[in-house]
Amino acid sequence: MPTISAESMARRPSLAERRKTQTRFEIAKTAAKLFAEHGTADVTADQIAAAAGIGLRTFYRYCRTKEDAIEPMLSAGAERWLADIESGPRRLPTLEELEAAAVRALTPDTDTEDLRITRGLLQAMADDQALRSVWHRINLDGEDALYRTLTGLAGADADPLRLRLIAGATAGAIRIALEQWAATNGPTSGPGSAADLVVRCISELTAGLRD
């Protein structure tokens, strides 16, 4: 029988951690649905907890505020993008490779429910400062995470300013693409989709960085 190395076991999240992550995402999805329909002013933490099938104490064990509850829903695409980049060759990815990874992260295999919920949530942000604050914080965190990833892949001789520009331009392109897609009520696939707009935004915002 094959054995599992200690290194492999260390990388694999425990069952408790996987359950915690799943619970946190279910809370986020529930909150996102309610906020998309009603905005934050008319939705309470009690309502989110009840709709998610958990107690209020459990809700606050996972979320600091009702607005923070949506964070896993909005950061999921960026996490998939970073994971895709990190799983590639151990070198600085090209802008075309970053673009392709972003498209994959925003292209659902079959289930488009999460993408539709995200679109509704982004639409609700137009009139909700609390939600916009969470959204911008998530984007800034994602840009910082991308910069750290690129720095690790590029090596000691890389120009840190160029890496920051790449991280800022590509992360900003994805944010703008998603916001425009939501504002125009774009489809989940094909022309006008989030993935389609990402290609245009990354291409235009990184034009000056291309060799």
Side-chain angles (χ1 to χ4, degrees):
M1 173 182 289
T3 59
I4 301 176
S5 69
E7 183 181 359
S8 297
M9 291 180 67
R11 286 196 303 266
R12 181 176 174 79
S14 67
L15 178 59
E17 289 171 334
R18 295 198 300 274
R19 285 175 174 169
K20 183 176 181 179
T21 298
Q22 182 61 33
T23 299
R24 184 73 177 84
F25 193 81
E26 288 303 320
I27 294 171
K29 182 183 288 190
T30 300
K33 287 180 179 178
L34 291 173
F35 290 157
E37 293 173 7
H38 308 291
T40 56
D42 295 325
V43 176
T44 67
D46 290 276
Q47 290 170 326
I48 297 171
I54 59 173
L56 187 59
R57 289 183 62 184
T58 301
F59 174 86
Y60 281 117
R61 191 181 308 148
Y62 287 95
C63 313
R64 291 168 296 178
T65 67
K66 64 180 183 180
E67 290 85 8
D68 283 333
I70 63 173
E71 187 169 332
M73 192 80 196
L74 291 177
S75 61
E79 290 171 359
R80 289 193 297 271
W81 184 38
L82 284 173
D84 193 326
I85 295 167
E86 291 169 352
S87 67
R90 302 307 299 172
R91 57 164 175 76
L92 183 66
T94 66
L95 292 170
E96 290 76 15
E97 288 170 337
L98 289 174
E99 178 185 294
V103 169
R104 288 192 293 271
L106 292 170
T107 303
D109 294 329
T110 52
D111 187 2
T112 60
E113 181 188 17
D114 290 352
L115 206 51
R116 289 195 299 270
I117 293 172
T118 299
R119 180 177 56 195
L121 189 57
L122 289 170
Q123 290 170 343
M125 286 180 191
D127 302 311
D128 198 313
Q129 181 59 48
L131 289 182
R132 286 202 301 275
S133 295
V134 176
W135 171 238
H136 288 300
R137 186 184 75 232
I138 290 170
N139 277 278
L140 182 58
D141 289 345
E143 180 183 324
D144 288 343
L146 176 60
Y147 172 68
R148 292 193 299 272
T149 295
L150 296 179
T151 299
L153 293 172
D157 296 332
D159 179 1
L161 178 58
R162 179 178 174 80
L163 296 182
R164 281 206 172 276
L165 288 171
I166 291 173
T170 52
I174 293 174
R175 176 183 61 79
I176 292 168
L178 285 169
E179 290 173 351
Q180 180 66 16
W181 166 70
T184 57
N185 201 34
T188 55
S189 62
S193 66
D196 181 52
L197 291 177
V198 157
V199 173
R200 177 182 173 186
C201 288
I202 290 182
S203 177
E204 295 195 11
L205 282 180
T206 63
L209 292 168
R210 296 178 188 266
D211 295 326

